Amino acid sequence: MRKPWRFYSLSRPKLRQSWNKFNLYNIARAAGREPLVNGRATFFQQKWAAKAKTRGYHGEHISEKKWVRLFSRRLLSAVDLPPEYLAANDGSEQAAGRGSGLSTSNLTAESYSRVPGPSKNQRNPTHPGQRKSGFGDVNSMLSEHFQDMTPYMQMTFAPLERRLDTAVFRALFASSVRQARQFVIHGAVKVNGKKASSPRKIPAGDVETPANVVQMVHPSYALNPGDMFQVEIEKVLYGTGEQKPQKADAPLRQSIKSRKKLEDDAVDRLKSKKAGAKTTEGEAAEGDAEGEAAEVELTAEDEIYLQTGRLRRLRRSAREILQGDLRNLSAKQKKELRLFRDSAQRFLSLPEEGKMNADELVSQLQSQIGQLQSMPVFKKADPAPQTEASETEAGEPKEETAEDKQKREERREKKKQFQKRVLEKGLEGLKSEKDRVWAHNIMSTTEFSNEEIRRLANILKKDEENPIDESKSYLTPWRPRPFMSAFAFVPRYLEVNPNICAAVYLRHPVARKGMAEVPTPFGYLTNQLAHNWYLERG
Amino acid sequence: MPPRVRVPSVPLAGLDATSSLSKTAPFARTFSTTPCREKMSKSRQRMYEWLKSQSGSSLAEAPNSPNYLGPFQDQPFPLNPLFRSQPVLDDTTRELIWEKVTVRGDSIKAVSAEMGVDVRRVAAVVRLKEVERQWVTDGKKLATPYAKAVMKMLPKTSYREGEENEPHEPVNEVQVHNLTMQQLFVPVSESRHFTREDAATAFHDKVLSADVRSPQPQLITMEREILKGSSRAESLEKFKEATQAEEEAVAAKLEKQRLWEKKQTRRVFKKGETRVQFRFKAINVDDAGRDGRSRNGTGWRYGAPFEDRKRGLVKIPTSVP
C-alpha cells in the first residue's frame, strides 16, 4: 500500500513499525495511550479508535481486506510444565479433597519452574508523558490483574508476525517493515536458501533446476515453523547503519568543488600517464625507479586539451553570472563579461586544428581573463593557474652523489628487515593479499616502535573488519543508526544469528502467563477493543 | 497611504557582510527589522527538546548495554508491560551448543535439557552456526560490526560449563490445546483418582495428556526414576542413552528412506564418466487421478487447464522445501 501522507505525525500521532526518531518520540510520550474507558465514547467508537490505532502499527502496509482474511480468533498460548512437576504429580492433586470442602492446594506447575521472569527493576520514566494520571485512574485499576493472567488479547496481531517482511524487521535486519518489504521484493531475502519460492508446483518426478524455479519474491509469504530466512549483509548494513549525510545541498557544494577538482584531476591524469610510460621505458635501462616524480613535459596538444576544459568552465560561469542578478555589476564589468563569453564561444567552436593556430584569439582571451580576475565571483571559478605554476617550479630535477645512493641502499635494506619482523609479529589478521601489500607499503615508508606496531596491527585488523569505503550506500565505518537501541529486541519465536544476518522462525508466537510474545506498543485494553472489532460481533 | 517605493529584493553587496539578518534568512527583505521566525511548530520543538535532553540523547548513541524506553528495565514499549525484551543466547553459548552437538556428538534433547534451551532453538542454533562456518571456510565476509553492535544492545544469557546456570527458557513447554480452552463440568465420584489422562479424555477422545505431548518425555521418565530412588547421575546416563537411541533411530529411518528412493531410480552413466547422465523412475499414469490433477501425478495432462493465473487463487507459496 502507498505510504500515507504524514506518516510520522506529531499532531495526530500513529505508532509505526519503524526506528524513526519521530516514532520513538511518539512511543516515548505514550501517544498510543487508551483514553479513559469511563469517558463518553460508545463501545463502537472505542472499538473503532482502538482498531485504527493498532492497525497503524500492525501491518499498516497491508490492506484491511488482507488482514481481515488473516485474522484468527484462535489465540495461541503455552504453559511451562517442568518435568519435575509432571514426574511428581499425576494431576489428581488439583482435584483432591475438593468434594469434602478442602481448599485448593498451592501446588502448581509454576512453583517448580526455575526460568527467570521479567525484570522488576523500575526506573524513572524516560518521558514525563508516561506517568500515570494518579488516583482513581480507571484504566490502571483495570490493568492491575493483567500480570497474573495469560494476556490473550495481546496476541490479536500474531498472524502478521508470521509474514516474511515482519519477521525480517523483528530480527533487526531492517529499520522498518516497509524497508524489510522492499528488501524482500528486491530479492535480498532468501527463505531456506532460496531467493524464490516457486509458485508453480514442481511435479513429483521432476528435478528442481534453476529454470524450473520461478524467481518471485513475496513479502507476504507466511513462514512455517523451522523456516530459515537470510538477508544480504549489504542490505542489512544499509538498513541498520547510520545514513550518509543528506544530499539536499549537494549540487551547490558540488559545483564549487568539481570546478576546482576537475582541473587538477585532468593535470594529474595526464602527468601520471606520461610518468607511467616513461618508467616502463626507463626501468629497463636504469633497473631502479625512484619514487620521486619524474619531470613531465606537457605537449602542446595536452596543453590545448587542458585549456579548452578550463575555458569551457569559465565561459559557463560567465554565462551564469550574466543570467543572474546584474545589479551588483558595473557597466564595464558586464561589458567585459559579455565580450569574454562571446570570444570564448568563438574559440570553442573552432575545429581542433584551428585551435592550435588561433594565436590571436588566444592572446585576446588571456588578456580578457586577466581583466576579469579582478571580479571575485569570476576568480572563484578559476583556481587553476597558480597551482600549475607552483608545480612546474617544484618539479626540478636534483643531482645526487654516490654517497647519497649508498645511504639510500642501506636504508632500504633496513626497511626490508623491519617489514619482515612486523609480518611475523602481528599481521596474521590480514587475510587478503591486497591488504598485506597495503600494510607493507605503510611499514616501508615510516619508522615505528614496537608498541606502535602492535597498535597499528590492531587498527588494521579493525579496519579490515569495518573498513572505510566511500562506495557503500551507508556511512563508513559502519555504525548503528541513532535510536536503534530503543527498538533492539528479538522475540523468542525467532533465533537470530547476526553474523550471517540469518534467522530461523522457530514456532508461532504464543502467550504465557503475564507475557505475550507479539511485540505491540499498545496496552491490553486497546488490543482487547481491537480484537473485539475483528470478532465482528455487534 | 504611504508611497510605494520599490526596494531591491536582494540586499546590496555592502550590506550583505554586515547584517546578521541575511545569514539566517537569505531572502528576507532588507527593510524588515525583525528576524525571520524559524518555522517549527510547538510539538516539533518539544520533540527536539526531548531528543536533546538526557534521556533522548542517551538513546541516540550506541550503548554497551540494553537501553529501553519503558519503566521496567527490559520493557521496550512504555504502555505494554506485558511485552518484555527477553534475553538471547550470547555468542560463546551458541558456539558451545554447536560444539556439543556436532563435535562431541551429544543428542539435541540432552543438550537442550542440560543447558535449559528449547529443543527447536538448539537445532536452529546448530543450523545457523553450520552456515556461518561454511561462510568462514568460503572466505565470505561476516557482518561482524553489525553483530557486535546488536549483541551489545540485547540482553543475553550465557552458559558457563561446569557451573550452576539459570535456564534460558522452559524446556518442557506445552502448547495449550484448543479443545482444552473450554470450561467443562464432569461429574466424578469423590473416591476416583482423576489424573491428567482422565482430564484429557474428558475434553475429547483423541486429546493427549501433557505427558505425551511433552517435547522431552525422556526427561519426565528420568525425573520419575529419581523420585523412585535411583541416583541422579545414573538416571541422567540412562536419559542420555535413550535420547541418543531415539536420534539414531530417526537417522536410520531417514537413511532407509533415501536408500529406497535410490533403489527406485535407475541411473545411466556416460561411458567412462562418474557423473550420472539420466535418472529413470517408474511412473504410473494412474497417479494423476481421474481428473488428471492429482498432486501425485507427473507432468501436465493434455486438456487439464492450468489454474495458476485464475483470479482469486493464491499464488503465494505456502511452503519452501
Side-chain angles (χ1 to χ4, degrees):
Chain A
M1 256 169 69
R2 195 176 57 86
K3 200 171 180 179
W5 183 63
R6 271 212 224 150
F7 194 62
Y8 306 106
S9 172
L10 291 174
S11 52
R12 291 170 163 231
K14 283 249 162 109
L15 307 188
R16 306 287 186 190
Q17 285 183 331
S18 159
W19 300 350
N20 186 287
K21 68 180 169 194
F22 283 75
N23 190 40
L24 175 93
Y25 177 63
N26 282 338
I27 291 176
R29 66 176 169 148
R33 183 191 292 283
E34 183 65 27
L36 284 187
V37 290
N38 58 355
R40 289 227 188 112
T42 63
F43 187 42
F44 182 88
Q45 286 167 342
Q46 287 181 40
K47 284 196 291 183
W48 176 279
K51 178 213 90 173
K53 250 194 288 184
T54 47
R55 283 282 287 128
Y57 182 83
H58 292 285
E60 68 43 54
H61 60 298
I62 304 163
S63 67
E64 185 69 6
K65 202 162 112 188
K66 281 184 183 158
W67 154 239
V68 169
R69 274 182 71 108
L70 274 179
F71 173 75
S72 160
R73 60 187 63 199
R74 296 205 184 101
L75 305 167
L76 300 182
S77 60
V79 186
D80 177 22
L81 293 171
E84 294 88 350
Y85 166 76
L86 291 178
N89 308 288
D90 59 357
S92 61
E93 87 285 350
Q94 298 288 329
R98 282 218 179 171
S100 19
L102 283 178
S103 62
T104 318
S105 65
N106 285 327
L107 185 70
T108 53
E110 206 189 347
S111 57
Y112 281 82
S113 183
R114 288 196 307 124
V115 178
S119 149
K120 301 269 185 241
N121 282 351
Q122 210 162 355
R123 45 173 204 184
N124 287 334
T126 41
H127 191 276
Q130 290 174 26
R131 278 190 207 117
K132 283 179 186 150
S133 42
F135 178 76
D137 184 358
V138 184
N139 288 14
S140 72
M141 284 198 287
L142 279 173
S143 352
E144 260 166 24
H145 66 290
F146 294 153
Q147 295 291 344
D148 306 321
M149 56 185 230
T150 308
Y152 279 105
M153 290 298 111
Q154 301 290 70
M155 304 295 296
T156 304
F157 292 96
L160 287 177
E161 300 300 313
R162 224 184 129 175
R163 282 175 59 106
L164 181 57
D165 53 358
T166 315
V168 166
F169 171 66
R170 294 293 184 213
L172 304 178
F173 297 150
S175 64
S176 70
V177 193
R178 279 178 180 270
Q179 193 177 48
R181 183 186 145 82
Q182 196 189 38
F183 288 174
V184 178
I185 289 172
H186 289 189
V189 180
K190 287 183 194 169
V191 177
N192 290 341
K194 276 176 202 162
K195 186 190 286 180
S197 19
S198 78
R200 203 154 42 108
K201 279 266 148 20
I202 293 161
D206 279 18
V207 186
E208 213 166 275
T209 57
N212 225 342
V213 176
V214 180
Q215 296 257 324
M216 202 192 275
V217 263
H218 307 285
S220 62
Y221 171 69
L223 289 164
N224 294 314
D227 273 354
M228 182 169 105
F229 56 92
Q230 208 167 349
V231 188
E232 269 175 29
I233 282 183
E234 277 307 304
K235 289 276 184 182
V236 173
L237 292 182
Y238 163 69
T240 59
E242 205 166 307
Q243 287 167 309
K244 272 189 171 176
Q246 283 289 319
K247 283 179 182 170
D249 53 355
L252 229 167
R253 233 184 294 144
Q254 193 63 30
S255 65
I256 297 169
K257 228 185 205 176
S258 65
R259 280 182 195 191
K260 273 183 193 168
K261 263 200 176 174
L262 268 174
E263 196 92 12
D264 300 344
D265 284 355
V267 175
D268 284 348
R269 221 178 305 134
L270 275 176
K271 276 189 178 173
S272 62
K273 224 190 228 171
K274 295 263 158 173
K278 262 199 178 174
T279 42
T280 41
E281 288 166 31
E283 259 183 300
E286 253 179 271
D288 180 39
E290 290 294 346
E292 284 161 37
E295 177 71 349
V296 182
E297 293 270 339
L298 294 176
T299 62
E301 278 172 0
D302 299 332
E303 202 72 64
I304 287 279
Y305 169 74
L306 285 176
Q307 289 304 325
T308 46
R310 181 181 162 212
L311 202 61
R312 208 167 274 142
R313 277 189 287 284
L314 284 177
R315 184 189 49 146
R316 202 189 305 141
S317 53
R319 210 191 267 159
E320 274 168 16
I321 293 166
L322 283 168
Q323 274 167 0
D325 194 49
L326 296 177
R327 261 174 279 217
N328 300 342
L329 300 175
S330 67
K332 198 184 168 197
Q333 281 173 327
K334 277 187 259 183
K335 202 173 153 194
E336 273 171 356
L337 271 172
R338 287 197 192 106
L339 191 66
F340 169 72
R341 181 190 62 187
D342 295 341
S343 41
Q345 177 65 39
R346 208 146 27 102
F347 178 78
L348 288 171
S349 57
L350 286 176
E352 284 298 315
E353 310 86 22
K355 275 178 191 164
M356 307 278 281
N357 306 327
D359 290 346
E360 204 188 34
L361 195 55
V362 169
S363 66
Q364 260 181 29
L365 277 169
Q366 266 163 359
S367 71
Q368 281 167 9
I369 290 172
Q371 277 168 355
L372 285 168
Q373 287 288 338
S374 61
M375 271 171 66
V377 199
F378 193 82
K379 205 175 179 183
K380 235 185 247 172
D382 186 31
Q386 295 94 340
T387 52
E388 240 175 284
S390 61
E391 264 178 70
T392 40
E393 278 168 30
E396 276 178 32
K398 281 181 192 166
E399 299 206 0
E400 52 182 348
T401 56
E403 260 181 53
D404 283 342
K405 258 192 179 175
Q406 206 174 353
K407 269 184 188 173
R408 202 173 296 130
E409 285 294 324
E410 277 174 23
R411 222 182 296 152
R412 202 175 298 138
E413 200 58 39
K414 262 189 183 176
K415 271 178 204 162
K416 267 184 190 171
Q417 285 176 0
F418 184 73
Q419 279 174 19
K420 265 187 193 172
R421 214 169 56 217
V422 168
L423 271 184
E424 282 161 16
K425 276 208 170 171
L427 286 186
E428 282 93 17
L430 298 178
K431 274 160 201 159
S432 66
E433 193 57 32
K434 210 176 101 194
D435 289 330
R436 258 168 208 269
V437 172
W438 181 53
H440 269 266
N441 286 345
I442 291 177
M443 299 292 171
S444 57
T445 45
T446 26
E447 292 279 351
F448 290 115
S449 71
N450 279 358
E451 179 55 33
E452 278 171 334
I453 289 167
R454 230 169 289 135
R455 231 181 286 158
L456 185 72
N458 217 350
I459 289 168
L460 285 174
K461 219 181 268 180
K462 246 184 208 168
D463 188 75
E464 155 85 6
E465 232 173 60
N466 195 0
I468 296 172
D469 189 350
E470 281 300 315
S471 66
K472 300 287 185 204
S473 49
Y474 45 86
L475 199 69
T476 46
W478 187 88
R479 250 179 297 146
R481 263 175 197 242
F483 310 114
M484 179 184 173
S485 66
F487 300 98
F489 53 83
V490 177
R492 277 279 164 91
Y493 55 85
L494 294 173
E495 173 58 36
V496 180
N497 189 335
N499 280 320
I500 51 171
C501 296
V504 174
Y505 183 78
L506 294 178
R507 52 180 166 77
H508 300 313
V510 292
R512 296 195 190 84
K513 193 185 164 188
M515 197 179 274
E517 276 186 337
V518 174
T520 171
F522 305 102
Y524 191 84
L525 289 170
T526 314
N527 274 308
Q528 193 175 31
L529 286 165
H531 188 81
N532 269 298
W533 171 271
Y534 289 110
L535 282 179
E536 293 179 349
R537 282 189 195 146
Chain B
M1 207 174 128
R4 295 178 121 192
V5 183
R6 195 168 167 266
V7 183
S9 60
V10 175
L12 296 170
L15 277 173
D16 201 341
T18 50
S19 72
S20 60
L21 220 167
S22 61
K23 243 182 204 173
T24 50
F27 303 113
R29 299 209 153 214
T30 35
F31 56 73
S32 168
T33 48
T34 47
C36 189
R37 260 188 66 196
E38 280 191 341
K39 294 219 169 175
M40 202 193 264
S41 64
K42 194 82 184 169
S43 47
R44 232 179 138 82
Q45 279 178 33
R46 274 198 216 113
M47 185 190 87
Y48 280 109
E49 205 176 290
W50 180 75
L51 287 177
K52 278 173 197 161
S53 73
Q54 171 68 32
S55 46
S57 57
S58 74
L59 292 163
E61 61 223 29
N64 286 323
S65 60
N67 188 14
Y68 296 116
L69 283 173
F72 288 106
Q73 267 187 339
D74 55 351
Q75 187 184 336
F77 301 118
L79 286 179
N80 184 8
L82 301 169
F83 178 78
R84 302 298 180 89
S85 167
Q86 287 172 293
V88 297
L89 296 171
D90 73 346
D91 226 358
T92 48
T93 313
R94 281 188 277 137
E95 192 69 37
L96 183 68
I97 287 176
W98 176 84
E99 200 211 314
K100 280 191 176 207
V101 173
T102 54
V103 181
R104 298 185 208 170
D106 292 355
S107 67
I108 289 178
K109 279 187 178 179
V111 173
S112 156
E114 188 195 339
M115 301 180 73
V117 180
D118 194 286
V119 183
R120 288 165 290 191
R121 194 179 300 280
V122 173
V125 164
V126 175
R127 190 175 166 195
L128 291 167
K129 258 281 166 291
E130 220 28 67
V131 176
E132 190 186 321
R133 299 187 82 84
Q134 188 59 45
W135 278 34
V136 171
T137 47
D138 290 354
K140 235 170 151 185
K141 207 175 170 192
L142 302 177
T144 322
Y146 166 75
K148 272 185 186 166
V150 165
M151 289 315 275
K152 267 184 199 168
M153 292 177 197
L154 292 170
K156 295 174 284 287
T157 41
S158 84
Y159 181 87
R160 304 252 164 71
E161 257 191 311
E163 283 177 35
E164 191 68 27
N165 293 291
E166 265 193 342
H168 176 66
E169 60 190 334
V171 288
N172 194 34
E173 205 173 48
V174 179
Q175 198 164 323
V176 175
H177 197 287
N178 220 18
L179 285 168
T180 62
M181 286 174 83
Q182 54 182 320
Q183 199 171 11
L184 272 192
F185 290 97
V186 187
V188 177
S189 71
E190 232 175 89
S191 56
R192 184 161 163 205
H193 194 68
F194 196 77
T195 60
R196 279 193 289 272
E197 278 76 22
D198 296 329
T201 40
F203 280 113
H204 192 272
D205 289 342
K206 286 186 178 173
V207 171
L208 301 169
S209 74
D211 306 55
V212 188
R213 295 177 63 218
S214 147
Q216 290 268 27
Q218 292 92 347
L219 205 57
I220 302 170
T221 323
M222 181 187 102
E223 292 294 338
R224 284 219 175 98
E225 273 179 22
I226 290 169
L227 284 176
K228 272 177 196 163
S230 63
S231 75
R232 185 162 270 276
E234 196 182 307
S235 36
L236 190 67
E237 202 54 47
K238 267 190 190 169
F239 162 73
K240 279 183 181 167
E241 272 168 27
T243 50
Q244 196 74 43
E246 192 197 17
E247 225 165 68
E248 273 161 20
V250 170
K253 199 180 165 192
L254 286 176
E255 179 64 16
K256 206 179 158 192
Q257 173 76 12
R258 200 182 62 79
L259 286 176
W260 183 81
E261 261 165 29
K262 199 177 171 189
K263 212 178 154 192
Q264 295 299 310
T265 49
R266 193 161 60 84
R267 282 140 204 275
V268 178
F269 294 89
K270 220 175 188 179
K271 247 185 191 174
E273 271 189 38
T274 49
R275 260 176 68 182
V276 182
Q277 196 180 12
F278 299 113
R279 289 185 182 84
F280 292 113
K281 263 185 195 170
I283 299 292
N284 192 354
V285 187
D286 296 335
D287 283 346
R290 260 202 322 186
D291 59 352
R293 284 190 211 167
S294 166
R295 280 165 172 247
N296 304 324
T298 304
W300 173 72
R301 311 272 123 190
Y302 182 77
F306 272 140
E307 292 201 329
D308 56 350
R309 287 187 167 259
K310 235 182 188 176
R311 192 171 164 270
L313 288 175
V314 180
K315 283 99 187 170
I316 300 162
T318 49
S319 68
V320 183

